[in-house]
Amino acid sequence: MKHLKKYSEYKDSGVEWIGEIPAHWKHIPLRWGTKIFSGGTPSRLKDAYWNSNDIPWLNSGEVNKKKILHANNYISKQGLNESSAKWIKAKSLIMALAGQGKTKGMVATLEMPSTCNQSLAAIEPDTKVLFYQFLYYYLDSKYQNIRGMVGDDARDGLNLEIIKSILSPLPPLFEQQQIANYLDQKTTAIDQLIQKKEQLIQLLEEKRTAMINQAVTKGLDPTVPMKDSGIEWLGEVPAHWEVKPLSRISSYISYGFTNPMPSTDEGIFMLTAKDINNGEINYSKARKTSVLAYETLLTAKSKPKPYDILITKDGTLGRVIYYKGEEKICISQSVALLRVDDEITDRKFVSLALQSKSYQNKILFDAGGTTIKHIYITRLVKMKMGFPPIQEQITITHYINTKNQEIDQAITKTKDQIKLLKEYKTTLISDVVTGKIDVREAVLATN
């Protein structure tokens, strides 16, 4: 924004949201420059109202699209005539009056005629006063302020009178169009750059997956002689590797408690499958049990030791964590515990191998059950893996960890860039629609 200048003269708008505006601008409540009304929902009990593709009909979730080009739902002409639903003109706006999470106060442009439900406000600008895309950018930039008019609580909905009272800057109509055109170009360019960076993150994650899979199934030396593993899904492995089932390298494998445990505010974390992601434990939502219950009601199978490997066997299957003992825990029956004999096997290597694409595919393929899938430890311990000598396992683990750090740093840097781009976009829109910077010469220069 450094190349953009300010207007030559400003005045106080008298509106805290807006601040100073260019001297030749005005400001008005929306009731003066728009027609605002809510929609309605035909009775769901009458199929004749809904078995039609006649009339587009929007619900509050549609505002997430930002620009509405088509509807997901339709009503019949009879449904329109016999309900409080109303037509909304194209080149209008809709705003969510209520809704879960972030929906309330969100706004979108309507690019075709439509109807909507009662949870949306239709805002039809007077085309001689307000340009709809300028108004969209302004209302979208003031999303938090609009929500603050009633509070963030889900029960505190907006209403039509509140929306009608919202004050908007009012540049001359041609200047509104210039501002909207400028922001269309700039935000599209920013969004495209953000999309490229998001694609870069996806490529980095794919690179990580391929790197780990290659390292734990083929090793690090591409010139080493290979042999058939005897396992169709694994293919060839280095000739000096040994192929053996998990049971040969584990000293203990089981799963956690099956009986309900008492919950407490303080004590020992009780982990279920939902508390485990690949590579990390989510302690923030995990329940706890008392130390007394842990010591008296649980057997050793529910009490992982530091450096055990945990695998989710129910729910989201196959998530693997190398438990370092950072918190004292116990596990439910939805989590399997694998204790590796560290005299012959590097525990971290086994953990990384079990997280790799090849072994994950095998684990999920072997999962049993009809409607709900489960990992059975009797099958898991029979799964064969390729094992290099232990020193090579340690070398592979170190290599993977080093590469993971490099990828993590690249992803963090890219995420920071995305955050800055989003912040820049937000600031740019707010500054332009409230006249803090003058884009008129920039628009003329691009035309």
Side-chain angles (χ1 to χ4, degrees):
M1 290 189 287
K2 291 181 180 179
H3 66 287
L4 298 173
K5 63 181 183 180
K6 292 179 175 293
Y7 288 85
S8 59
E9 188 178 353
Y10 285 86
K11 64 183 179 183
D12 184 8
S13 69
V15 183
E16 185 179 355
W17 289 7
I18 302 173
E20 288 190 331
I21 56 175
H24 66 287
W25 286 24
K26 300 176 182 178
H27 64 275
I28 59 170
L30 291 189
R31 70 172 74 248
W32 288 4
T34 66
K35 179 183 177 183
I36 298 174
F37 56 93
S38 62
T41 303
S43 172
R44 294 283 186 179
L45 300 177
K46 291 192 176 184
D47 290 341
Y49 290 169
W50 297 92
N51 292 340
S52 169
N53 289 324
D54 291 343
I55 298 171
W57 181 85
L58 308 173
N59 58 36
S60 56
E62 302 279 0
V63 291
N64 289 284
K65 295 178 180 176
K66 296 298 185 181
K67 178 182 286 189
I68 300 172
L69 301 171
H70 59 83
N72 293 329
N73 300 286
Y74 290 81
I75 59 176
S76 67
K77 293 178 182 178
Q78 183 184 359
L80 173 64
N81 293 332
E82 298 179 9
S83 73
S84 55
K86 304 176 187 68
W87 276 109
I88 313 167
K89 295 177 182 178
K91 297 187 177 181
S92 296
L93 284 70
I94 58 169
M95 180 182 287
L97 298 171
Q100 297 297 319
K102 298 180 179 180
T103 304
K104 180 178 65 181
M106 289 182 67
V107 65
T109 61
L110 184 60
E111 304 296 330
M112 83 292 182
S114 182
T115 62
C116 70
N117 72 6
Q118 62 276 13
S119 295
L120 288 170
I123 306 172
E124 290 184 347
D126 181 339
T127 56
K128 296 178 181 179
V129 178
L130 276 166
F131 184 54
Y132 81 109
Q133 287 176 306
F134 169 83
L135 184 58
Y136 162 75
Y137 279 119
Y138 171 68
L139 293 177
D140 188 55
S141 72
K142 299 304 176 185
Y143 164 76
Q144 291 292 353
N145 300 91
I146 293 169
R147 286 176 67 91
M149 296 175 80
V150 292
D152 267 338
D153 194 288
R155 295 168 295 181
D156 299 328
L158 295 165
N159 59 51
L160 299 184
E161 287 303 311
I162 290 173
I163 295 174
K164 289 176 182 179
S165 71
I166 294 172
L167 294 167
S168 171
L170 189 67
L173 189 60
F174 179 68
E175 194 171 339
Q176 294 179 41
Q177 294 168 336
Q178 287 182 308
I179 288 171
N181 291 339
Y182 175 84
L183 289 175
D184 282 346
Q185 294 174 5
K186 290 299 181 182
T187 58
T188 296
I190 294 169
D191 288 341
Q192 289 173 344
L193 186 54
I194 289 172
Q195 185 179 29
K196 288 181 180 179
K197 292 188 177 297
E198 288 172 341
Q199 289 171 346
L200 175 58
I201 291 174
Q202 184 177 348
L203 289 173
L204 287 167
E205 292 291 5
E206 291 172 358
K207 179 181 178 181
R208 185 204 306 273
T209 299
M211 177 271 296
I212 294 174
N213 199 68
Q214 176 71 18
V216 299
T217 60
K218 310 299 179 187
L220 304 179
D221 184 357
T223 66
V224 73
M226 305 292 284
K227 69 178 180 183
D228 184 2
S229 67
I231 305 170
E232 183 178 356
W233 57 269
L234 184 58
E236 290 190 330
V237 296
H240 65 287
W241 285 25
E242 186 178 357
V243 178
K244 51 190 175 183
L246 276 176
S247 58
R248 290 267 306 277
I249 58 95
S250 59
S251 60
Y252 186 76
I253 185 166
S254 185
Y255 57 87
F257 60 82
T258 56
N259 294 325
M261 291 285 290
S263 294
T264 55
D265 292 333
E266 300 294 332
I268 312 298
F269 286 103
M270 296 188 291
L271 300 186
T272 65
K274 64 181 178 61
D275 302 315
I276 295 175
N277 296 316
N278 272 334
E280 63 179 9
I281 296 173
N282 182 8
Y283 289 105
S284 62
K285 294 185 179 179
R287 295 186 302 123
K288 294 179 180 180
T289 194
S290 67
V291 174
L292 179 62
Y294 174 85
E295 292 176 347
T296 59
L297 300 179
L298 296 178
T299 61
K301 74 170 190 173
S302 301
K303 301 176 180 179
K305 295 181 179 180
Y307 315 120
D308 283 346
I309 296 169
L310 306 180
I311 307 167
T312 59
K313 57 180 285 293
D314 299 316
T316 304
L317 305 182
R319 291 181 176 178
V320 179
I321 179 69
Y322 175 69
Y323 168 58
K324 299 176 183 178
E326 62 275 9
E327 297 281 355
K328 199 167 186 179
I329 63 172
C330 56
I331 56 173
S332 75
Q333 62 182 333
S334 64
V335 181
L337 180 160
L338 175 66
R339 188 164 296 150
V340 173
D341 185 345
D342 62 350
E343 292 185 3
I344 58 172
T345 313
D346 179 58
R347 297 160 171 156
K348 293 181 181 179
F349 174 84
V350 177
S351 174
L352 288 168
L354 290 173
Q355 294 177 56
S356 71
K357 185 175 181 180
S358 292
Y359 289 108
Q360 280 284 300
N361 288 343
K362 175 59 176 173
I363 289 171
L364 297 178
F365 179 81
D366 285 347
T370 52
T371 55
I372 301 176
K373 295 292 185 180
H374 308 274
I375 292 173
Y376 298 112
I377 60 174
T378 52
R379 294 183 186 178
L380 186 62
V381 294
K382 294 177 182 178
M383 184 178 73
K384 291 184 177 180
M385 296 179 63
F387 291 95
I390 189 167
Q391 190 56 50
E392 187 176 346
Q393 293 177 38
I394 295 170
T395 300
I396 290 172
T397 298
H398 178 72
Y399 171 84
I400 291 173
N401 288 338
T402 300
K403 290 297 181 182
N404 271 338
Q405 288 178 2
E406 294 174 2
I407 293 171
D408 286 340
Q409 289 172 358
I411 289 174
T412 298
K413 181 180 178 180
T414 306
K415 285 182 176 179
D416 288 342
Q417 292 170 344
I418 291 172
K419 181 181 178 182
L420 289 173
L421 283 168
K422 289 180 176 180
E423 290 173 352
Y424 169 72
K425 176 183 171 182
T426 299
T427 302
L428 176 66
I429 293 171
S430 181
D431 285 353
V432 171
V433 297
T434 58
K436 303 300 182 290
I437 52 178
D438 184 353
V439 300
R440 291 174 297 179
E441 289 185 6
V443 172
L444 292 173
T446 60
N447 292 337

